[in-house]
Amino acid sequence: MRKIYSEPKKIGEIEIKNRFVRSATGERLTSEDGRVTDELIQFYEVLAEGGVGLIITGVTYVHANGKGIPNQLGIDKDDLIPGLRKLTEVVHKCGENCKIAVQLHHSGRQSMVLENPPAPSAVFEPTFNVMPREMTIKDIEDTVEAFAEAARRAKEAGFDAIQLHAAHGYLLSQFLSPYTNKRTDGYGGSTENRIKIIEEVYEKTVDMVGKHFPILIKMNVDDFLDGGIKLDESMKIAEKFSKMGFAAIETSGCMWEVILRTKKELGWHPAFNPEARIGIDSKEKEAYHLPYAKEIKKVIKIPLILVGGIRSLDVIEKILNEENADFIGLCRPLIREPDLPNKWLKGIGKITCECISCNGCTASLLSGSIRCTQKK
Ligand SMILES: Cc1cc2nc3c(=O)[nH]c(=O)nc-3n(C[C@H](O)[C@H](O)[C@H](O)COP(=O)(O)O)c2cc1C
Ligand code: SF4
């Protein structure tokens, strides 16, 4: 069988050397004001040396009113560019043709650090205990501008691409979802209207960085909440993104409120993280978004990055051989083993990675900074 996972493939006009993508992973390794630190650079150096084809940074705020967590990476000011450039230079130098995209993020109502953040509608957020304020048209215009300006900074800092974070219940996901978007103007109501802000961000960003700079998007295949997005609608949204000109779609799912339901079902667990399921202890439980991705793949003409509980090389081979995805997104496996792609590419190490999906890393992120709590 062909080892497709080792073969290069393009995202937009850039070639990714293999099919392994480091899915965005917030690290909380910056200074308080969102600047790149030596610690963050070392963290990325290790990742790049580990053989992954494309690194997507953790959530990076495009505006101070969209900050989600303390010590989050920022890209909202020009004076952050030199630090970000150091980061991209290290990845390009150490990673033997490793590429790096920055994940552009606005938290909206899911913020750990802001009391009254802007959101599409004033819908209370119970996990973060936040009452957001409904954005005015001027707020929306400013936010579109903030994303486009952040993209310009990303290009100037040497990133190979950007990814819009429109998943997991953050601002762009809040606009997409009827669960959180109750607007009665042109940005709410129909699917078309709920997509509108992303369309405007896309167009303004292309004006700013040109059409050759790849713009990726991460989206929910399902919000996993009653009244939220379900597969029939996410297929329409994905098709629209593909036609709009996005370079690739990463398929994920959930909003943070899903935690409350999970808590009721399973009891309290300090490391609940809705998009990162715990207890992936068999191959049957792996790749939990695969059934959705298979359907999305049918309606898009751009590469699909599949993420969520992918742990074994034979599972990966099957997904790629059956053309259910073009790239494999890995988050927790690379927290545990940043050199996992090299181990798999060189045929050393085990078929199943060492991550046991316990989410100790989520707990460590919520209380400080990223760390695999299982690593000796
Ligand atoms: C500690 C931690 C931090 C994460 N940070 C982000 C993030 O910054 N942006 C994002 O889109 N997803 C984030 N995720 C979700 C992952 O990108 C991924 O979608 C999810 O963990 C499932 O993939 P996995 O099973 O390979 O971990 C995070 C997940 C974890 C566990
Ligand atoms: S703490 Fe380590 S083993 Fe547990 S989920 Fe995170 S990376 Fe995997």
Side-chain angles (χ1 to χ4, degrees):
M1 211 190 276
R2 272 170 64 199
K3 291 184 173 160
I4 301 180
Y5 58 82
S6 65
E7 294 176 6
K9 188 174 173 89
K10 280 188 167 178
I11 289 186
E13 293 180 18
I14 57 163
E15 186 166 87
I16 310 299
K17 64 179 172 178
N18 57 46
R19 304 303 178 89
F20 298 116
V21 173
R22 186 269 196 155
S23 277
T25 308
E27 300 96 0
R28 291 189 61 188
L29 291 174
T30 69
S31 63
E32 265 178 40
D33 55 351
R35 283 170 203 282
V36 170
T37 56
D38 290 346
E39 225 182 330
L40 189 73
I41 289 184
Q42 276 157 22
F43 189 88
Y44 275 72
E45 189 173 336
V46 173
L47 260 177
E49 283 170 350
V52 72
L54 171 67
I55 295 175
I56 302 176
T57 68
V59 282
T60 305
Y61 60 92
V62 299
H63 194 289
N65 70 14
K67 209 172 162 179
I69 47 176
N71 302 94
Q72 183 184 347
L73 187 61
I75 192 162
D76 62 324
K77 295 193 202 92
D78 280 3
D79 70 358
L80 297 172
I81 296 174
L84 293 164
R85 192 175 293 124
K86 271 193 199 166
L87 192 70
T88 61
E89 280 170 1
V90 162
V91 167
H92 290 145
K93 188 166 137 235
C94 304
E96 279 185 52
N97 206 18
C98 176
K99 300 286 194 275
I100 177 164
V102 59
Q103 188 181 53
L104 301 186
H105 174 252
H106 189 298
S107 320
R109 72 201 268 271
Q110 288 187 169
S111 177
M112 272 169 72
V113 290
L114 302 172
E115 276 180 14
N116 190 219
S121 306
V123 177
F124 179 67
E125 209 296 329
T127 42
F128 293 87
N129 202 20
V130 162
M131 186 66 215
R133 65 178 171 83
E134 179 169 314
M135 289 166 81
T136 61
I137 296 293
K138 170 84 169 61
D139 288 329
I140 293 177
E141 286 166 2
D142 290 349
T143 304
V144 169
E145 184 75 22
F147 271 98
E149 281 288 341
R152 173 192 54 81
R153 290 182 198 107
K155 194 174 175 195
E156 283 177 34
F159 285 97
D160 301 288
I162 55 169
Q163 183 187 59
L164 300 185
H165 196 349
H168 306 163
Y170 294 105
L171 186 85
L172 298 179
S173 163
Q174 288 158 34
F175 268 94
L176 285 177
S177 178
Y179 186 82
T180 39
N181 184 343
K182 307 291 181 195
R183 299 181 75 92
T184 51
D185 60 8
Y187 292 92
S190 65
T191 312
E192 289 288 312
N193 282 1
R194 281 180 275 122
I195 292 174
K196 195 170 170 214
I197 187 170
I198 295 180
E199 212 168 356
E200 290 178 357
V201 167
Y202 180 81
E203 282 165 8
K204 192 139 215 154
T205 300
V206 172
D207 285 350
M208 200 73 90
V209 296
K211 62 179 183 340
H212 302 291
F213 192 65
I215 308 172
L216 289 66
I217 190 157
K218 187 167 182 176
M219 63 172 282
N220 280 358
V221 289
D222 194 314
D223 291 335
F224 296 108
L225 283 168
D226 293 340
I229 289 176
K230 302 276 167 237
L231 181 62
D232 56 345
E233 193 173 26
S234 63
M235 286 172 72
K236 286 188 204 141
I237 295 170
E239 188 177 6
K240 176 90 183 167
F241 288 162
S242 172
K243 286 186 179 150
M244 222 185 268
F246 279 101
I249 291 177
E250 183 173 6
T251 49
S252 192
C254 274
M255 290 195 175
W256 274 81
E257 271 163 270
V258 176
I259 289 182
L260 302 179
R261 198 183 70 204
T262 324
K263 264 190 205 170
K264 272 189 210 137
E265 285 167 12
L266 299 176
W268 170 244
H269 187 291
F272 275 137
N273 180 344
E275 75 262 11
R277 293 189 195 168
I278 52 174
I280 316 277
D281 52 11
S282 69
K283 293 203 178 155
E284 291 68 46
K285 291 186 190 165
E286 286 196 31
Y288 46 78
H289 294 131
L290 178 61
Y292 301 86
K294 279 184 183 172
E295 298 306 313
I296 301 269
K297 188 85 173 108
K298 290 179 192 159
V299 297
I300 63 172
K301 293 195 167 59
I302 52 174
L304 186 146
I305 305 168
L306 177 66
V307 70
I310 303 174
R311 300 290 179 267
S312 306
L313 195 55
D314 50 350
V315 172
I316 291 173
E317 284 189 296
K318 192 164 183 300
I319 293 168
L320 295 175
N321 277 307
E322 291 178 358
E323 297 184 10
N324 291 320
D326 304 279
F327 291 91
I328 299 298
L330 301 165
C331 165
R332 289 167 291 172
L334 298 189
I335 300 174
R336 175 85 192 241
E337 292 168 274
D339 59 345
L340 183 63
N342 272 343
K343 286 184 190 161
W344 277 340
L345 290 162
K346 291 177 184 165
I348 47 178
K350 302 193 181 98
I351 292 287
T352 299
C353 69
E354 289 174 13
C355 172
I356 57 166
S357 311
C358 65
N359 276 6
C361 46
T362 298
S364 85
L365 185 71
L366 294 176
S367 60
S369 56
I370 194 83
R371 181 172 73 86
C372 172
T373 52
Q374 298 297 316
K375 216 162 159 174
K376 304 283 173 309

